Amino acid sequence: MTLRPPSNIARQSSSAGVSLCRALSKLGLCSRKQAELLVAEGRVRVGGKVIRNGSVRVDPGRDRITVDDRRVVAEPKVYLMINKPRGLVTTRDDPQDRGTVYDCLSGLDLPFVSPVGRLDKASEGLLLMTNDTRWANGLLDPSSHVAKTYHVQIGALRDEAMLARFRAGVTVDGELLTARSIEILRSGTRTAWLEIVLDEGRNRHIRRLFGAYDVEVLRLVRVAIGSLQLGDLAKGKARHLTADELALFA
């Protein structure tokens, strides 16, 4: 027998509400990928009816959604900062069984939260996580121009001509990679530390920018997002943002 969506859902236009899988994620239960599995296994009901189509449109604030006969309700909003260590990937589940940023949340009583943007495996520093998708999307929207500040160690001597080329930007794979600013923090006999500020975040932006000139990035640490500083948070640890810190993004 084919199970059809409840009539109140079926009447919704294709533009109404959000998909069932997205609703489960927005309500703080799980990721969309995990929601797809729950739906496929027949564990999700809407209005008392089993739904096996994760693209069905629902209203998370009005429709009664249950998983394993337990109602899914919106979790309180959570906003975290993590000091991500090098070597962890920014994902929930890794098919290669590598450590993930969720290891930093071990022992904390939290709803499902997602990273706000990414840091690649070799990068370190400030990473935000939340279950507030609207807040996260606002930070990630390119039009918001929220600056990200990085301290970057490169395997090259200080060279003003080289820095001028970096500041001018370079096109890599059809993308123009630029930085708002690049300043020298300190320079040794073999390496240099730079402070780089980006107001957009392309995939592996800094590594690709330097790689275009065959300059090796030895360490890459994000130290600030907007006016929010990583501060003295210990590596591998997480904490909730304060009200004052949240106000920085208002």
Side-chain angles (χ1 to χ4, degrees), residues 64-81:
R64 181 181 176 85
I65 303 172
T66 62
V67 174
D68 297 335
D69 297 323
R70 296 182 62 181
R71 186 166 188 178
V72 182
V73 296
E75 295 279 0
K77 299 304 182 186
V78 173
Y79 309 88
L80 304 168
M81 70 153 60

